[in-house]
Amino acid sequence: MTEDARFEDGGERPLNLGALDAEDLQVISSLVQDAVLPVTEIRWQAGRRRLGLLLNRVRWEDVEAAKKRGRPVERVQSLLVIDNVLGVASQGVDRSDKDMILQVLAVSFEPGADADGAVVLTLAGDGALQAKVEALEVSLRDVTRPYVAPSRKLPDHGA
């Protein structure tokens, strides 16, 4: 008998996840919610048909353990990569403003006629990035050790 992975199974190990359908992408979206990145950490490699973003994400998979142990919330730098990209568009993202910091709210997939569609990163402040893709293939990989978030607390959603 096989069993699905659980959040708790991640433990202290770095994440390395992939999404090939919209359901998988929801998991990645929940893990990158509230991630921040400078606009300078977005790379569109047209020849490789790849869009990469170096995010500073909240370690949502560790939040409950942190609360239990009374330690601060951690972030980790992660690479979010979208493959099979045919084109990229943005709204509310000024690439010339090198000091601009973006905050990811969600990642979603808008299906097209066949396997194609668009991966949409919804950003705080009415911003968005859209990657037109031939097929859905997204990966999320932690690339640094976790560090204490400067605020030492979870993002405030006004709740």
Side-chain angles (χ1 to χ4, degrees):
M1 174 166 76
T2 61
E3 184 177 326
D4 286 344
R6 299 169 298 152
F7 245 11
E8 302 82 36
D9 295 337
E12 297 297 318
R13 295 183 301 270
L15 291 181
N16 187 3
L17 303 172
L20 298 174
D21 62 34
E23 189 174 326
D24 292 343
L25 192 59
Q26 287 177 347
V27 173
I28 289 177
S29 179
S30 69
L31 292 166
V32 300
Q33 179 182 352
D34 297 313
V36 293
L37 71 150
V39 73
T40 56
E41 295 297 346
I42 301 171
R43 296 286 186 278
W44 162 227
Q45 300 171 320
R48 295 181 74 187
R49 297 177 9 155
R50 176 176 285 168
L51 177 65
L53 300 91
L54 184 60
L55 309 169
N56 297 287
R57 71 172 188 85
V58 174
R59 290 190 66 229
W60 289 110
E61 69 278 15
D62 184 58
V63 167
E64 290 305 314
K67 285 180 184 177
K68 277 184 187 175
R69 295 183 184 135
R71 61 179 166 79
V73 173
E74 294 177 329
R75 285 189 179 262
V76 64
Q77 282 197 315
S78 302
L79 196 55
L80 180 68
V81 176
I82 304 168
D83 284 302
N84 306 309
V85 178
L86 304 171
V88 178
S90 65
Q91 170 188 315
V93 177
D94 182 357
R95 298 277 308 197
S96 67
D97 181 358
K98 302 300 183 198
D99 294 326
M100 179 178 255
I101 302 295
L102 306 173
Q103 180 180 4
V104 178
L105 300 179
V107 183
S108 59
F109 182 65
E110 297 174 353
D114 292 315
D116 66 327
V119 175
V120 178
L121 279 81
T122 303
L123 307 171
D126 295 326
L129 291 173
Q130 180 187 59
K132 179 102 171 103
V133 296
E134 185 174 46
L136 179 60
E137 186 175 352
V138 176
S139 62
L140 177 68
R141 181 171 53 96
D142 291 346
V143 295
T144 65
R145 291 189 178 276
Y147 60 91
V148 175
S151 68
R152 304 182 68 81
K153 59 184 180 177
L154 289 172
D156 181 10
H157 290 246

